[in-house]
Amino acid sequence: VKPWAGTESCHHRHLGVVQEGRMRVTHDDGTVVEIGPGDAYVIEPGHNAEVVGDAQFVGYEFEQKAAEEYARA
């Protein structure tokens, strides 16, 4: 997250649904969750994330600010 956010962890809230791929989200408090196809998610500020496996991660973001800053075509 640091290269995009410029901080040690992401300070945005994410709300969305996963279309494909898997992502591991590690919160600043040490909580780790993994999300995958069909999962709806709410990720609060203070987290890092990484794609799990070789498949690309495709998620639909419903939080406008997060979508504007992190959406990739």
Side-chain angles (χ1 to χ4, degrees):
V1 173
K2 190 173 184 175
W4 294 281
T7 59
E8 291 299 319
S9 62
C10 180
H11 294 170
H12 288 287
R13 181 178 193 263
H14 300 273
L15 171 67
V17 63
V18 181
Q19 180 183 11
E20 66 180 87
R22 300 195 70 76
M23 182 174 284
R24 181 178 305 115
V25 181
T26 304
H27 299 273
D28 289 348
D29 69 1
T31 304
V32 178
V33 295
E34 193 170 303
I35 56 176
D39 289 342
Y41 58 84
V42 176
I43 304 169
E44 297 296 345
H47 63 273
N48 280 291
E50 61 185 328
V51 174
V52 176
D54 295 327
Q56 71 175 348
F57 179 85
V58 178
Y60 294 98
E61 279 281 337
F62 302 117
E63 282 286 342
Q64 183 177 352
K65 186 166 182 152
E68 288 171 352
E69 291 194 26
Y70 295 105
R72 303 278 187 260

